[in-house]
Amino acid sequence: MSITQTVQSTAQLPPLVPRIRTLTNATRFLQNPTIPLAQYIQEYGETFAFYVGGVKYGILSIDPEVNQHVLQKNNKNYHKSHIQKDFLGRFTGPGLLVTDGDYWLKQRRLIQPGFHRAKLAALTEIMQKVVDDSCDQIELQEGQEVEMSHLLLEFAFKIIAKSLFSRDYSDKLMDEVDDNVTEIQRYVIRLIRQPYLHWWFRMSGKEKNYNDISEETRNILLKIIHERKKSSETYDDLLDMLLSSKYEDTGEGMSDKQLLDETLILFAAGHETTANSLSWTSYLLAKHPKVVEKMRAELSEKIGDRKPSFTDLRELTYLTQVIKESMRLYPPAWITDRVALEDDEVKGYKIPKGTIVNCYIYGAHHSEKYWKNPEAFIPERFEKENMKGKPNFAYFPFGGGPRLCIGNNFAMMEMQLVLAEMVRRFDFELVPDQQIELQPLITLRPKNGVLMKLYRR
Ligand code: HEM
């Protein structure tokens, strides 16, 4: 008999929010779950159970120890939930973000080296060129109202597309991919939010329409991959990296289908998150001109009038703190979830097999237990001194454990380049009388966008 069988566990299920309460809160939950969730945390503690949509038993936690257990220490017992797999995976195919187990590990090992610092350094120039061109475009709209989320989504789309395809990039093709990806994302959101309409989507031909759009996008990308394979040139972009990666055991590269799946995942995971973070940051900067002054002072001191090089970016500590603090207040990936493969226990709580565990990133980032004055925007919190003693997983905008965001350094570098150029070139002014609200969908967006006027300095 094993030890686990002889010792009686004293672990208990986490406190349960009554089903009637989750049902009566359903509409509020759909509009903005952060509000009812903050109330539950106050009443039931850092870890509690509830019926997701009034039906499916699930646990939610902001406790760093619990989230570290699920995402890192006992990660082998937890797989991705059906939300990420069914909804996103259906259109992207089985790429890194939505696979599990041995296949995921094999792909992660293959792709990870492509995101190492030396590889990223090679992308600095590509990114900086997009940033410069886009800022030139913004200058043409000086003083006009611009919607920042829209603008920065275009920015981020171009950056990931050019980082993937550098010289194969054509405006016409990429506009088509951009439109398709946007439409598919809108549809995925409807699938998640309106499960009761799935039958209608099927009957009305919507589902087929979106499958066709998805197929069209795959064909465009596949054509680029085929042409690149025939080329003997070196490109130093992400597609080159994917094409040249070889499995350790066979020495073979990925099949065309795998290349396509992974390319689509990098597209899908790699631009909306970053764009949201940049939108929230621009909003915060417009409200905190002193922070902007401090960023400008750092830029003048450390790099003067030059464009920042890859090595410069490391020196821009205040800029990095601004980005980190913005992602604390507005984590673009505001929640993630896993399903328990077997019964488990953590911190005296039972996690029965099959339970969905929600690691509530937004909640941890806004907890008074870990952050003094949590609603205030204070980039200096991220000074080394001030972060001493903070538990791991009190701050985890990129997730954690073996499935930590593979693009985290890419994203940080991109945000640094965009923000450095924007604060150097522009003054930000928020258009008055707008309500900036949270819209937590797959990622955390500003609900009605952020209207702003930008002026050349
Ligand atoms: C501010 C920007 C970003 C944020 C906040 C973010 C956040 C995250 C988070 C929280 C996860 C883990 C999800 C989980 O554990 O369930 C993740 C995974 C992932 N991210 Fe990001 N991400 C960002 C940018 C990017 C970029 C730029 C790329 C690609 C260039 C990217 C590619 C991926 C991929 C492929 C995964 C799956 C990794 C795996 O499961 O092995 N992300 N991201």
Side-chain angles (χ1 to χ4, degrees):
M1 208 175 252
S2 76
I3 294 175
T4 41
Q5 281 167 307
T6 49
V7 177
Q8 272 288 319
S9 166
T10 55
Q12 295 190 337
L13 289 172
L16 176 70
V17 180
R19 198 189 289 239
I20 183 76
R21 183 109 189 260
T22 24
L23 280 173
T24 47
N25 261 336
T27 314
R28 288 175 70 212
F29 202 89
L30 269 182
Q31 280 163 353
N32 178 1
T34 63
I35 297 171
L37 287 177
Q39 269 171 9
Y40 297 157
I41 291 165
Q42 223 169 31
E43 291 172 46
Y44 298 93
E46 290 196 315
T47 305
F48 59 84
F50 68 121
Y51 284 94
V52 185
V55 195
K56 181 106 183 99
Y57 181 82
I59 290 175
L60 178 140
S61 188
I62 63 162
D63 184 334
E65 205 179 316
V66 173
N67 288 329
Q68 184 169 25
H69 176 87
V70 170
L71 296 178
Q72 187 175 44
K73 292 191 172 160
N74 200 22
N75 72 82
K76 289 213 163 74
N77 189 43
Y78 294 90
H79 275 184
K80 291 263 170 159
S81 82
H82 78 100
I83 295 188
Q84 295 189 45
K85 283 186 180 174
D86 293 357
F87 293 124
L88 192 60
R90 181 194 304 202
F91 294 104
T92 55
L96 211 48
L97 188 74
V98 292
T99 49
D100 278 305
D102 291 345
Y103 183 72
W104 164 78
L105 185 62
K106 195 171 148 188
Q107 293 300 97
R108 176 90 191 200
R109 285 202 178 128
L110 187 75
I111 297 170
Q112 182 83 54
F115 285 89
H116 282 166
R117 294 188 70 77
K119 295 278 179 186
L120 289 183
L123 293 176
T124 321
E125 222 175 285
I126 296 179
M127 285 193 192
Q128 185 67 52
K129 171 94 177 66
V130 178
V131 173
D132 286 344
D133 291 350
S134 304
C135 283
D136 291 348
Q137 289 298 318
I138 299 174
E139 283 193 359
L140 298 177
Q141 304 171 51
E142 181 179 14
Q144 294 172 23
E145 277 186 17
V146 283
E147 203 286 280
M148 295 304 280
S149 304
H150 185 74
L151 185 96
L152 292 162
L153 196 64
E154 273 179 17
F155 237 95
F157 182 86
K158 267 205 180 133
I159 289 180
I160 186 71
K162 289 224 168 174
S163 303
L164 271 161
F165 305 125
S166 58
R167 278 172 281 154
D168 298 331
Y169 181 105
S170 104
D171 279 336
K172 191 170 163 292
L173 266 191
M174 284 305 136
D175 281 353
E176 213 173 310
V177 173
D178 190 4
D179 291 346
N180 289 356
V181 171
T182 311
E183 280 214 41
I184 290 171
Q185 276 177 341
R186 270 200 206 121
Y187 181 59
V188 170
I189 287 160
R190 289 196 70 187
L191 285 175
I192 295 173
R193 298 187 82 179
Q194 297 174 307
Y196 45 88
L197 288 183
H198 285 187
W199 66 273
W200 166 246
F201 296 152
R202 266 193 305 276
M203 302 287 292
S204 62
K206 270 199 181 344
E207 183 174 287
K208 181 174 177 316
N209 180 31
Y210 285 96
N211 286 338
D212 290 348
I213 294 178
S214 164
E215 199 50 41
E216 190 184 303
T217 315
R218 293 178 78 83
N219 286 336
I220 296 176
L221 300 183
L222 200 58
K223 201 162 158 245
I224 298 181
I225 292 172
H226 282 155
E227 278 167 16
R228 177 71 72 88
K229 271 182 151 176
K230 281 191 237 147
S231 157
S232 52
E233 281 183 60
T234 314
Y235 289 73
D236 252 347
D237 57 15
L238 289 177
L239 183 58
D240 241 14
M241 173 280 283
L242 291 173
L243 281 164
S244 60
S245 310
K246 305 277 178 261
Y247 293 111
E248 267 173 20
D249 49 352
T250 61
E252 304 263 304
M254 284 188 264
S255 68
D256 285 358
K257 157 113 183 29
Q258 286 173 312
L259 281 165
L260 190 57
D261 292 340
E262 299 303 351
T263 307
L264 269 169
I265 280 290
L266 293 180
F267 248 124
H271 77 292
E272 200 186 307
T273 38
T274 322
N276 283 336
S277 184
L278 287 169
S279 308
W280 288 116
T281 312
S282 67
Y283 165 64
L284 289 164
L285 293 182
K287 287 192 18 173
H288 296 87
K290 287 218 167 84
V291 171
V292 178
E293 284 316 313
K294 202 166 160 183
M295 288 164 80
R296 286 176 181 154
E298 180 185 61
L299 287 164
S300 320
E301 186 200 324
K302 305 249 170 87
I303 53 174
D305 290 334
R306 279 187 296 115
K307 298 286 175 197
S309 68
F310 183 71
T311 36
D312 286 330
L313 295 178
R314 264 197 175 168
E315 304 301 312
L316 300 174
T317 42
Y318 187 65
L319 172 60
T320 310
Q321 287 164 17
V322 168
I323 297 170
K324 286 185 172 170
E325 174 67 343
S326 164
M327 284 199 292
R328 183 188 66 78
L329 282 168
Y330 301 108
W334 60 286
I335 195 163
T336 191
D337 58 5
R338 296 289 190 272
V339 181
L341 300 181
E342 296 297 337
D343 289 348
D344 193 15
E345 285 180 24
V346 55
K347 246 190 144 177
Y349 293 123
K350 264 189 195 163
I351 304 181
K353 176 178 174 172
T355 304
I356 293 183
V357 184
N358 296 279
C359 306
Y360 187 29
I361 300 173
Y362 182 94
H365 288 190
H366 286 254
S367 167
E368 278 184 351
K369 186 164 165 193
Y370 311 111
W371 308 98
K372 213 163 148 190
N373 197 2
E375 298 312 317
F377 175 59
I378 310 172
E380 290 78 1
R381 295 178 199 277
F382 283 91
E383 279 171 15
K384 247 191 194 149
E385 250 336 91
N386 298 336
M387 288 300 282
K388 270 189 187 151
K390 193 87 65 198
N392 286 337
F393 289 79
Y395 181 72
F396 59 124
F398 292 111
R403 302 202 72 151
L404 177 79
C405 174
I406 204 168
N408 63 346
N409 291 325
F410 179 104
M412 284 305 291
M413 166 179 161
E414 171 180 354
M415 291 188 286
Q416 284 179 314
L417 291 174
V418 171
L419 290 168
E421 189 66 24
M422 286 190 74
V423 298
R424 289 216 284 199
R425 283 213 209 182
F426 304 109
D427 283 323
F428 302 75
E429 188 186 287
L430 267 179
V431 171
D433 302 327
Q434 44 175 334
Q435 281 237 314
I436 308 290
E437 285 175 49
L438 300 181
Q439 190 175 36
L441 295 168
I442 301 178
T443 56
L444 183 67
R445 306 171 174 190
K447 189 171 183 181
N448 307 309
V450 180
L451 280 177
M452 227 179 250
K453 290 183 183 173
L454 299 175
Y455 296 95
R456 284 169 67 169
R457 296 178 59 223

